[in-house]
Amino acid sequence: MKNNDMDIYGLAETNLSYRQSKIWQQQFGFHGYFDYSQQGGKGQGVGIIVSDKYDIFVHKAEYINANKKERTQIEELYHYIENIIDDAKNKNMEIIIMGDFNINYRKYLMAFVNDRWYFKLFKMLENRHLLDTIPIFNEDDKNIYTYIPPNDSNEKSRIDYIWASLPILGQSLNSTVIENDHFTTDHNTVTLSLDTQLFIGKTLPKINKSKKKITHTVFLYDEMDQDDDEFTWDNFRAGLDHEIERLKLKD
């Protein structure tokens, strides 16, 4: 964390017991919050490591075991996250969601697969005006990967994310992906650099990094063809034809 000037670090698949996490904290001198699966096994457990000055902002880490084979647990998890976000918004709090989602946002954006049930998380985050941070700061986000499978025949992908609310992004300096040099893993680290003026009144040195203009378009498909004349497919087609004509996109 010190080498990369990090103050908060989220961990997934820690495989740590309670005793092991305490040893980690004693050896490295950080504040750590860990949670574990009661079932045991590999690929389980989460943690958050926090420097002293930000420890007051973290209360706990919570692990919920879920993968695509456990649809009920995943949908319960999505509902749990949704409730936390809504509660935070009602309290005028800003939001950062981070972790190994184990689903691919680029595939969700492809129209012919985005109706799969496990992509509901992305739709929920979009509807609450949270954004994926990597494309905002990186023109070549299509070529950025967070999961590097040990078998070269398998496909690399970006399944680890940081999503944030718009005011947080307004205070952000950079978001990128870095390799992990100090431990063995098939995942890279996703980073988000924030201007600390937002939190503790001290500003980080400015980073010479241009941020892409943030635009956010929400398509309210579920509200189409309601009684309100504004939300009809006929109006949508008419508006689209007008824009095509205005922008000279017709052949």
Side-chain angles (χ1 to χ4, degrees), residues 88 111 113 178 228:
V113 297
I178 60 175
D228 191 335

Side-chain angles (χ1 to χ4, degrees), residues 10-242:
L11 298 167
E13 300 182 8
T14 59
N15 300 316
L16 291 178
S17 66
Y18 177 80
R19 181 174 178 274
Q20 288 171 327
S21 70
K22 290 298 182 184
I23 293 173
W24 266 39
Q25 293 178 66
Q26 291 172 1
Q27 287 181 337
F28 296 105
F30 54 73
H31 296 273
Y33 300 82
F34 295 87
D35 197 29
Y36 325 87
S37 169
Q38 301 301 318
Q39 301 173 1
K42 291 289 185 180
Q44 302 186 22
V46 295
I48 301 176
I49 303 171
V50 189
S51 63
D52 289 341
K53 59 187 175 183
Y54 293 106
D55 187 48
I56 61 171
F57 296 106
V58 179
H59 298 283
K60 68 175 182 176
E62 185 162 349
Y63 176 75
I64 301 175
N65 181 37
N67 59 54
K68 289 179 183 176
K69 296 178 181 179
E70 299 163 332
R71 178 169 179 172
T72 300
Q73 282 186 284
I74 292 177
E75 292 184 326
E76 288 175 354
L77 171 60
Y78 289 177
H79 185 63
Y80 175 76
I81 295 171
E82 182 178 1
N83 287 339
I84 289 177
I85 292 174
D86 289 344
D87 182 61
K89 282 183 168 291
N90 289 336
K91 295 176 180 177
N92 296 318
M93 301 171 69
E94 299 307 332
I95 300 161
I96 298 175
I97 301 289
M98 64 182 183
D100 175 2
F101 289 17
N102 205 29
I103 46 178
N104 191 316
Y105 187 47
R106 184 162 298 282
K107 290 184 178 180
Y108 163 78
L109 294 175
M110 298 167 63
F112 59 90
V113 297
N114 66 7
D115 59 344
R116 295 179 182 175
W117 66 267
Y118 46 80
F119 286 137
K120 290 179 181 178
L121 176 62
F122 290 135
K123 184 175 182 180
M124 183 268 290
L125 294 176
E126 288 179 340
N127 288 343
R128 281 154 181 77
H129 307 295
L130 275 71
L131 295 178
D132 176 14
T133 61
I134 287 295
I136 293 172
F137 292 91
N138 300 273
E139 297 286 350
D140 62 339
D141 61 283
K142 294 180 181 178
N143 298 315
I144 294 177
Y145 306 104
T146 64
Y147 172 64
I148 313 298
N151 187 340
D152 292 338
S153 63
N154 293 333
E155 183 182 13
K156 295 186 290 186
S157 61
R158 188 164 69 90
I159 58 175
D160 306 89
Y161 300 92
I162 298 177
W163 285 61
S165 53
L166 290 172
I168 289 285
L169 291 170
Q171 297 287 338
S172 300
L173 303 174
N174 191 19
S175 183
T176 189
V177 173
I178 60 175
E179 295 182 0
N180 297 301
D181 298 327
H182 302 292
F183 51 89
T184 302
T185 174
D186 50 11
H187 290 256
N188 291 331
T189 296
V190 185
T191 71
L192 176 65
S193 300
L194 298 171
D195 187 336
T196 50
Q197 180 72 32
L198 180 66
F199 299 107
I200 60 174
K202 296 180 181 179
T203 304
L204 289 171
K206 294 298 182 182
I207 296 177
N208 184 21
K209 180 74 174 181
S210 60
K211 179 163 51 177
K212 291 163 64 175
K213 182 179 179 181
I214 300 173
T215 60
H216 190 208
T217 302
V218 178
F219 297 95
L220 303 176
Y221 295 115
D222 295 340
E223 298 184 15
M224 299 297 275
D225 288 331
Q226 292 185 355
D227 294 335
D228 191 335
D229 290 339
E230 180 181 356
F231 297 104
T232 66
W233 285 111
D234 288 339
N235 285 347
F236 173 78
R237 283 191 292 269
L240 184 59
D241 288 341
H242 173 75

